[in-house]
Amino acid sequence: MNLAGLALIAAAAVVGVLLTVQAITLVAHSSFLSTVILGEDGRTSTSKTFILLWTLLVAWALVALLIAGEFAASHACITSGPAAGAVKRCQHDDVALLQLGWSHFLHAGLTGSYLVLLGVPAAAGVAAKGITQAQARSSTSVKTVKRSLQGGWLRGLIARMAEIFSADDGSTDVADFQYLIFNLITAVYFASEFLQPKGNGLPTIPDTLLGLTSVSAGLYVGKKAVTRSQPSITSVFPGILQDGQQFTIIGTGLTVDPAAPTTGLARVTIDGVPATGVRESNGDLVATAPHNLAVAGQPVTRQLQVLSPYGGITANFPVQCV
């Protein structure tokens, strides 16, 4: 058995376990893959995707080492001399180096770099889940979820993959993209190094790559926390405002956040002029429009903004005034 065949057998074993678990969950009217990849908002979760990626990669490498070390006959270069010189004698025998790597792994165990590599995505995933759940609890509007599986399975798959590095509106999210790139670079390095065995078990991951993945994970979580705190307006009812008219503002993060309650009130302005009678009603904001909205009796478009109780300011929302 050569290295390529052994790696393929290990990959098939890992994929087989994955498909078996998926089949079992489907019988139970659930989906393992959806559970471990999709977030609370129904989109592909960046953090969950990389937790799964590193779990599968490390499992693949360990299964390959297990097969070589426990089920393949020991190669002659290992037993033909002192154990101290086995790596040098077997330097041209990849499977023998995997056998030596398995023995090394059993005695040395995982290095600290793998605790970081596996732990950082997991920690980022837990933090991101908490932020997303809090956002879902405090949101007063229904979040639009992409129906990525419409339009054929290939288009659906591509759309799901794009969600890994894109924001809710479909634009590329720089923090998610950075997290994606650095993890993919590290994953490619891991796989290429493992397929060039050196007798030391799992490859040694350079501190530089570990640092890049850790920093990008921190930025990813920080971005989600900041994004969650920014209020936004989705609609204003009625759509055309008159002087002194009461209106309703619908959006996210406009009122009190259950995760961090406050007694403060939101402020509403139209072209910088404060609206009056601002109050919360069933999670929405109700206010009374200021006077002199129209110009010489002619309709005009003005910009509405909300300052949340936490100091977050929404983007300008255009409203028609008459």
Side-chain angles (χ1 to χ4, degrees):
M1 181 185 299
N2 58 21
L3 176 63
L6 197 150
L8 287 175
I9 292 173
V14 172
V15 172
V17 171
L18 195 65
L19 293 178
T20 300
V21 174
Q22 173 70 357
I24 293 172
T25 55
L26 287 176
V27 171
H29 306 290
S30 181
S31 173
F32 169 74
L33 291 177
S34 295
T35 302
V36 299
I37 291 179
L38 300 186
E40 295 290 326
D41 53 5
R43 302 177 76 250
T44 306
S45 168
T46 307
S47 55
K48 283 187 173 184
T49 298
F50 286 114
I51 292 173
L52 180 63
L53 170 69
W54 283 111
T55 300
L56 295 179
L57 274 177
V58 174
W60 164 70
L62 289 177
V63 170
L65 289 173
L66 172 66
I67 294 172
E70 299 293 337
F71 301 104
S74 297
H75 286 214
C77 63
I78 298 176
T79 58
S80 61
V87 172
K88 184 175 182 180
R89 293 195 304 272
C90 299
Q91 60 182 336
H92 299 299
D93 188 335
D94 291 336
V95 175
L97 289 174
L98 286 183
Q99 293 177 332
L100 292 172
W102 175 246
S103 178
H104 179 273
F105 172 76
L106 291 179
H107 290 88
L110 278 176
T111 63
S113 62
Y114 281 93
L115 300 180
V116 174
L117 197 62
L118 294 170
V120 167
V126 171
K129 182 177 180 179
I131 292 170
T132 304
Q133 285 179 331
Q135 182 182 31
R137 288 195 301 268
S138 62
S139 175
T140 59
S141 64
V142 178
K143 186 174 183 180
T144 301
V145 178
K146 292 183 179 179
R147 300 302 177 189
S148 303
L149 299 181
Q150 293 182 354
W153 70 270
L154 181 58
R155 181 177 297 179
L157 178 61
I158 294 173
R160 282 296 188 195
M161 292 174 64
E163 288 175 353
I164 297 174
F165 55 85
S166 63
D168 294 343
D169 60 2
S171 61
T172 299
D173 189 300
V174 175
D176 287 15
F177 185 71
Q178 183 187 84
Y179 192 31
L180 167 72
I181 287 297
F182 291 152
N183 272 277
L184 286 182
I185 290 173
T186 307
V188 171
Y189 176 87
F190 171 87
S192 63
E193 284 293 298
F194 182 76
L195 293 174
Q196 303 175 61
K198 299 176 176 62
N200 59 348
L202 296 177
T204 300
I205 306 296
D207 291 341
T208 302
L209 290 179
L210 286 176
L212 288 174
T213 56
S214 300
V215 169
S216 62
L219 178 61
Y220 166 78
V221 174
K223 180 268 305 179
K224 289 189 80 69
V226 170
T227 300
R228 186 182 77 86
S229 67
Q230 295 303 309
S232 63
I233 301 172
T234 55
S235 63
V236 173
F237 180 82
I240 299 177
L241 301 184
Q242 297 180 352
D243 291 0
Q245 180 183 26
Q246 190 175 81
F247 63 97
T248 301
I249 306 169
I250 301 172
T252 59
L254 302 177
T255 58
V256 174
D257 183 348
T262 180
T263 57
L265 296 175
R267 293 183 58 212
V268 179
T269 60
I270 299 178
D271 273 3
V273 180
T276 59
V278 179
R279 60 184 175 84
E280 181 184 354
S281 177
N282 297 322
D284 301 327
L285 281 180
V286 176
T288 301
H291 294 282
N292 302 318
L293 291 177
V295 178
Q298 297 298 315
V300 64
T301 299
R302 298 192 181 277
Q303 303 299 324
L304 184 147
Q305 276 191 318
V306 174
L307 173 65
S308 78
Y310 302 94
I313 302 176
T314 65
N316 286 330
F317 189 87
V319 292
Q320 292 294 316
C321 303
V322 296

